[in-house]
Amino acid sequence: AKKIGDVGLGAYAHRSYLARHSPLRQLTDLLQQDLIGSDTDPSILQGFTAVGFPVSREAFALRSDDFIVQWQAVRAGLGVGFCADYLARTDVDVVRVLPGLLKIPPLPMWLAVHREIRTSQRIRAVYDFLAQAIPKAL
């Protein structure tokens, strides 16, 4: 296993959503928004609790454990979602909200392979390619 980088995270919304809702100026403003997040993963709930705002699953207008569903909901202007910075950069109409106030710790990304497979030249070539390409994308 090799740590190949950190995945930056943030809260994002589509410009059309932001145009229809009150401006977000402070962390408590997030609680008045249509939030998009996970259904069973408690990470976002724990993040809210860590900054002094305990919320329940019911605070989210849309919950899905599929990150692509969450991302497409943000892109469709359905609310404020939490996603990877590298993904948000793919749509110019999705903007980060509260960039100076909301600091979400990055997630470490590891590349792992079973040790017996590492001896395969084909697997090694893919492993080396991913180890070089993924950090650039992050």
Side-chain angles (χ1 to χ4, degrees):
K2 175 182 181 181
K3 183 178 179 193
I4 58 173
D6 291 310
V7 179
L9 304 169
Y12 290 90
H14 194 274
R15 292 180 196 281
S16 66
Y17 175 85
L18 295 172
R20 297 188 317 267
H21 292 83
S22 304
L24 285 91
R25 293 190 177 102
Q26 52 190 329
L27 289 176
T28 55
D29 293 340
L30 270 177
L31 302 175
Q32 307 306 315
Q33 304 301 314
D34 297 322
L35 297 175
I36 298 167
S38 296
D39 187 36
T40 58
D41 181 355
S43 299
I44 298 171
L45 298 176
Q46 291 167 348
F48 271 105
T49 300
V51 295
F53 304 111
V55 296
S56 67
R57 293 172 64 237
E58 289 70 31
F60 291 80
L62 186 145
R63 296 187 312 263
S64 173
D65 290 326
D66 186 324
F67 293 121
I68 299 302
V69 169
Q70 293 176 30
W71 170 239
Q72 292 302 329
V74 169
R75 290 187 69 217
L78 299 179
V80 177
F82 304 87
C83 65
D85 296 339
Y86 72 84
L87 186 59
R89 286 193 299 266
T90 66
D91 189 328
V92 297
D93 288 322
V94 173
V95 297
R96 188 176 202 135
V97 299
L98 301 171
L101 296 175
L102 183 62
K103 295 179 178 143
I104 303 172
L107 295 175
M109 181 179 283
W110 291 79
L111 184 60
V113 64
H114 194 276
R115 85 176 140 226
E116 282 85 11
I117 296 177
R118 275 195 341 212
T119 58
S120 165
Q121 288 182 343
R122 289 181 179 159
I123 298 297
R124 186 68 202 191
V126 171
Y127 183 92
D128 290 343
F129 170 77
L130 293 174
Q132 182 180 26
I134 291 175
K136 291 178 185 174
L138 295 178

